[in-house]
Amino acid sequence: MYDDSWYIGGESLLEELFNLLKSKGYRIIAPVKERGYHVLEYVQEFNEVDLNYIRTINNPRHFLQPPNERILKWSYVNGKPIVNPEPVINANICFFGIHPCDANSIVILDKILLNPPEDTLYSIRRMNSFIIIHDCLKSDEYCFCEELGTRIPWDGSGDMWIVEKNDRYYVKAMSEKGRKILQELSLDKADTVPINEKYTIPNTIELFHKVNDEVWNDYSSKCLLCGSCLASCPTCVCFDIVDHISSLDPLAGTRIRTWNSCIFKSFTTVAGDVVFRSSKKDRFRFRYLHKFVIIPQWYSLPGCVGCGRCVMNCPLDIHPLDVLGGKK
Amino acid sequence: MIVYQPFITKILDIIDETFEIKTFRLERPKEFSNFKPGMFVMVSVFGYGEAPFAIASSPYITKYIEVSVRRVGDVTSALHRLEKGSYVGIRGPYGNGFPVEEWKKKDIVIIAGGTGLFGVSSLLWYFYNSYRDYGSIKLLYGARTPKHIPRKRDLDTWAERIDVYLTVDKPDETWRGEVGVVTKLIDKITFDEKETIFVLCGPPVMLYYGYLDLLKRGIPKKNIFFSLERRMQCGIGKCGACLLDSGYYVCRDGPVFRADQLQLGDIA
C-alpha cells in the first residue's frame, strides 16, 4: 500500500511537477483557454496551462478513446486482403489538472473497456497515462457532482490529487505511479487535511424506477436528438466500426471506430431495417437506463459523474436530475 | 494483435439455399478456438464492413465453419457478390452458446422462424451427433413460403434423428405440409410442460408471440431459452449496440438467454 497522506507544496509546485513529467517524456494534456473557453490540449510549456476553469469543452475520452480512430488498414493484393493494425501511439501521456468528475469518468471507461477481453486500443493509452487531478476552484449552476456523490476522486481515477486551499497546495498520491513522482518532489507532510467532506452516492436505480411514463414522454418529446449531450459526455463510451475506402485506391482502405449513441436510431438498426427501441422515448429513456441503472448494477458506481456538460450544451436545458427527480 | 483484427480466411464453397440466402463455407483459421453450439462470428467484407452471423455448421467439424446469409443489407449484399476462392475477414467465436450440458437427459423443443434457423443450426448438428444424451428432440420451423426454406439437405439429415415439423405462412401449389405461423405447430406435438426445454430463435414478432404462447401453456420461464439478434460492432461487450434493457450484452452475455434473465422488451 502506498503512502496516501497529504503533502504541502510551495507556490511553484505545479510548474515543478509539470517540468518533472515533461522531463520524463510525458506528453502533457492540460486545460488551455481558447476564445473564452477551456479546452484540453497537448501543451509544451507550463505557461500555456490555465487551471482556473470550471469545465473543459472536451474531456479525457477524446484522448483515450478518440472519435474516428483508425483501427486497421487493409489492401487487396492479388485478390487477397492484407490487414495491418494501426499502431497505437505508444507514448506516455499526462492529464495535467483534470477535475475529479472527469477523473472519475475514466474509472467508468476502465470498467467497460478494460473488462476482459480488453479493448486493446484503449488499454495501451490507459496504461501509458498519468493523471493529475486538480481540485475545482469554482463551480457553476450546471455542476451536479455533489448530488451524485462524484465530488471526490474514486480509487483508480488518478495518480495524484492536488487541492489548492488558502494559498497552499495540498498534494497526495493516489497510486504507486503517483507516489514515485511525489517522492521526487521531496515535500513536507501537511498537518491538516484540505478536504474532509463526505458525499453519498444516491441510489440512482431506485430514482430511475420511480420516474413515471408521463415524465419520460414529457422530456423525450422535448429532446431534439441533437446529440450535444452525448458528444460532450465523458462516460458515453458506445461506438460504431465502419470501413472507409481509400480515395486513391479502391482496393484499400481503413477501418475506423466512430462514436455513436443509443439515442440514434442507426445505433440499433439491423439489416432489413428492424429497429430495436424504435420510439424516441425508448431511446431517450435507455440512455438514462444505461447510466443510472445498468452501470450501477454491473459496477456499483454511478454511470454519470455530474460534470454538467450535457446540461450546459442542451438547447432545452434538460437536466438529468430533473428527469430523475434527484435534485437537492 | 488488436482485439478488432480479423483473421483472413478463404471461402471454400458457396451453396445457394434460396433466392436470397447463400451459405458460405469458410476455412477455419488455425487460431480459431473450438466453439459451442449457438456461438457466432463477425465476418468482414473489407470496404463494406463487418456483421455478426451465427455459426451454422456442426461444432464437430474442425476444417471449416459455415454461415448462412440472407441478402438484406450492405455487408450481406457484398458477401453475396463474392465468389468461391475469395477471402473474407473473420473474428470470434463470440457469445456464450447454448447450455447443452445442463440439458442432458431432457426433452428439447426448438422453435425457429425464417433465418432464425441459422441461430439453432449448430445446436441441431450437436443434437444430431449427441442425441443419445438427450430425450426426444423436436424442431418446429416456419418459413414465409416453401421457396424461403433454406438448408433443405440439413433438414433432411436432421430428420433422421430429430422430429422435424415444418410450416409456411403462404403455401404454393407444391406444398403438402402445414400452413400457418410456427407457433401453431406447438399444438401438433406432445410434451411434458414442466420438464421440456424450449429454444426460440427468429424474428422479434415470432419470439414475442411464441413466448407468450409457451407461458400460457404453463411452461416455466427457466425452461425457455432465446437466441437473440442485435446490431453489433465489437462482439465483446464494449460498443453498447446490443445492450439490452435488462443490462446484458447480447454479444458477451448471450446471444443465448434464459427467459427469466430478460424483460419482455428485450425479446421484441
Side-chain angles (χ1 to χ4, degrees):
Chain A
M1 187 62 193
Y2 54 87
D3 170 18
D4 69 344
S5 42
W6 288 96
Y7 288 82
I8 288 282
E11 247 173 60
S12 58
L13 171 82
L14 292 174
E15 190 164 0
E16 279 169 38
L17 190 55
F18 184 97
N19 291 329
L20 177 63
L21 286 156
K22 196 178 151 186
S23 71
K24 289 186 180 295
Y26 279 95
R27 299 176 63 194
I28 296 175
I29 299 161
V32 170
K33 196 169 184 177
E34 262 180 26
R35 283 173 286 174
Y37 293 99
H38 282 89
V39 197
L40 285 176
E41 261 181 21
Y42 284 102
V43 293
Q44 294 298 329
E45 300 301 331
F46 179 69
N47 61 17
E48 298 171 59
V49 181
D50 182 3
L51 292 175
N52 189 13
Y53 72 106
I54 295 174
R55 69 177 67 74
T56 49
I57 297 289
N58 55 354
N59 63 60
R61 186 196 175 200
H62 285 81
F63 297 89
L64 293 170
Q65 196 220 45
N68 300 324
E69 156 183 37
R70 287 188 297 242
I71 295 179
L72 51 89
K73 279 184 187 158
W74 83 85
S75 61
Y76 280 89
V77 178
N78 300 326
K80 190 174 180 180
I82 309 291
V83 173
N84 283 307
E86 273 292 312
V88 176
I89 299 166
N90 209 346
N92 287 330
I93 53 172
C94 168
F95 289 96
F96 190 88
I98 61 172
H99 285 164
C101 57
D102 280 357
N104 287 340
S105 79
I106 298 174
V107 178
I108 297 166
L109 298 184
D110 283 356
K111 293 282 180 196
I112 295 169
L113 296 171
L114 298 183
N115 193 37
E118 278 181 9
D119 182 306
T120 37
L121 303 156
Y122 177 84
S123 68
I124 291 173
R125 295 197 187 88
R126 186 66 184 92
M127 272 178 334
N128 292 335
S129 62
F130 188 86
I131 296 165
I132 299 172
I133 303 164
H134 183 260
D135 218 63
C136 309
L137 298 170
K138 51 191 179 184
S139 65
D140 65 9
E141 69 273 28
Y142 303 122
C143 294
F144 56 102
C145 61
E146 296 188 355
E147 280 100 324
L148 274 182
T150 53
R151 167 68 184 83
I152 304 295
W154 299 329
D155 284 349
S157 63
D159 299 293
M160 208 180 254
W161 184 17
I162 299 175
V163 181
E164 234 179 293
K165 199 179 176 184
N166 307 329
D167 297 323
R168 299 170 86 184
Y169 288 108
Y170 290 77
V171 199
K172 95 180 202 176
M174 294 185 67
S175 72
E176 188 51 37
K177 243 180 180 176
R179 190 189 59 82
K180 281 189 183 140
I181 297 287
L182 194 60
Q183 266 179 346
E184 292 189 41
L185 294 168
S186 51
L187 304 173
D188 293 330
K189 270 200 180 174
D191 44 15
T192 51
V193 173
I195 207 159
N196 236 337
E197 290 88 342
K198 295 267 184 295
Y199 300 89
T200 45
I201 297 176
N203 187 339
T204 55
I205 301 175
E206 210 166 84
L207 287 173
F208 180 92
H209 288 300
K210 277 187 192 152
V211 180
N212 62 34
D213 240 26
E214 208 177 309
V215 174
W216 291 124
N217 281 331
D218 192 29
Y219 282 103
S220 63
S221 59
K222 265 211 285 190
C223 172
L224 301 172
L225 297 180
C226 69
S228 303
C229 50
L230 322 160
S232 59
C233 179
T235 70
C236 265
V237 60
C238 298
F239 58 85
D240 259 5
I241 294 176
V242 293
D243 281 3
H244 284 189
I245 296 175
S246 158
S247 50
L248 300 171
D249 178 3
L251 292 176
T254 319
R255 182 160 287 176
I256 286 171
R257 155 150 75 183
T258 66
W259 293 0
N260 199 352
S261 163
C262 54
I263 75 159
F264 300 125
K265 256 190 188 170
S266 69
F267 193 53
T268 58
T269 307
V270 295
D273 282 334
V274 177
V275 185
F276 297 93
R277 286 190 281 276
S278 56
S279 80
K280 187 171 153 189
K281 179 185 136 195
D282 284 350
R283 278 176 276 136
F284 181 89
R285 181 180 169 275
F286 184 77
R287 182 154 181 269
Y288 281 75
L289 183 72
H290 191 189
K291 293 203 186 299
F292 297 108
V293 177
I294 296 175
I295 290 175
Q297 272 171 356
W298 278 111
Y299 310 115
S300 308
L301 293 172
C304 165
V305 292
C307 71
R309 288 187 181 88
C310 55
V311 194
M312 186 178 83
N313 292 328
C314 181
L316 291 148
D317 300 326
I318 298 174
H319 195 305
L321 294 186
D322 283 339
V323 179
L324 290 178
K327 236 179 185 169
K328 280 183 190 152
Chain B
M1 188 80 190
I2 58 165
V3 278
Y4 303 115
Q5 185 175 346
F7 297 112
I8 303 302
T9 194
K10 196 179 196 169
I11 301 176
L12 300 175
D13 206 359
I14 299 175
I15 303 142
D16 283 312
E17 301 285 358
T18 72
F19 65 96
E20 56 171 6
I21 296 171
K22 286 181 181 180
T23 290
F24 296 84
R25 183 170 288 180
L26 308 174
E27 193 173 20
R28 182 161 156 170
K30 282 189 294 293
E31 302 84 346
F32 229 63
S33 59
N34 287 332
F35 69 92
K36 280 173 70 182
M39 290 174 80
F40 69 95
V41 287
M42 300 292 289
V43 178
S44 293
V45 187
F46 296 98
Y48 297 89
E50 210 174 21
F53 298 100
I55 305 175
S57 51
S58 168
Y60 295 103
I61 294 171
T62 53
K63 285 234 158 45
Y64 62 83
I65 63 162
E66 284 178 357
V67 291
S68 290
V69 179
R70 180 169 156 227
R71 190 184 63 240
V72 67
D74 296 340
V75 177
T76 54
S77 299
L79 264 170
H80 271 242
R81 286 194 293 271
L82 294 179
E83 286 165 9
K84 182 176 162 178
S86 45
Y87 294 87
V88 292
I90 185 172
R91 54 189 182 95
Y94 294 129
N96 57 355
F98 291 100
V100 285
E101 293 298 319
E102 286 173 30
W103 296 345
K104 289 247 161 101
K105 305 267 179 277
K106 298 201 180 222
D107 293 343
I108 316 274
V109 176
I110 299 166
I111 305 174
T115 52
L117 183 65
F118 312 139
V120 291
S121 289
S122 60
L123 180 66
L124 286 157
W125 280 119
Y126 169 82
F127 284 139
Y128 181 77
N129 283 277
S130 307
Y131 67 102
R132 286 186 191 87
D133 297 338
Y134 296 86
S136 80
I137 298 158
K138 295 182 171 71
L139 167 67
L140 316 184
Y141 179 61
R144 230 177 286 173
T145 74
K147 287 190 182 63
H148 283 81
I149 301 177
R151 298 192 85 97
K152 292 197 184 78
R153 65 198 182 287
D154 292 348
L155 287 165
D156 288 341
T157 312
W158 296 331
E160 295 164 15
R161 292 170 192 175
I162 292 167
D163 299 326
V164 176
Y165 299 79
L166 299 181
T167 181
V168 294
D169 295 348
K170 280 197 195 113
D172 60 14
E173 56 287 350
T174 64
W175 186 252
R176 299 280 170 271
E178 298 287 338
V179 176
V181 293
V182 67
T183 44
K184 275 175 72 180
L185 292 177
I186 304 172
D187 292 326
K188 305 274 169 197
I189 59 168
T190 54
F191 50 86
D192 179 334
E193 282 94 350
K194 294 287 167 247
E195 294 299 324
T196 309
I197 298 291
F198 284 82
V199 179
L200 288 89
C201 188
V205 64
M206 184 218 104
L207 297 183
Y208 183 76
Y209 287 105
Y211 180 46
L212 295 186
D213 188 297
L214 294 178
L215 289 182
K216 229 186 285 166
R217 291 168 195 265
I219 313 295
K221 282 186 181 177
K222 67 174 175 61
N223 288 347
I224 304 174
F225 291 80
F226 296 96
S227 175
L228 297 183
E229 180 207 8
R230 281 298 185 280
R231 184 186 177 89
M232 290 175 193
Q233 305 293 335
C234 70
I236 52 173
K238 313 287 178 213
C239 77
C242 70
L243 189 57
L244 300 174
D245 283 16
S246 53
Y248 293 110
Y249 290 93
V250 174
C251 65
R252 185 191 73 188
D253 308 309
V256 178
F257 293 98
R258 219 176 42 229
D260 54 13
Q261 292 177 284
L262 301 178
Q263 301 168 10
L264 202 52
D266 296 334
I267 294 157

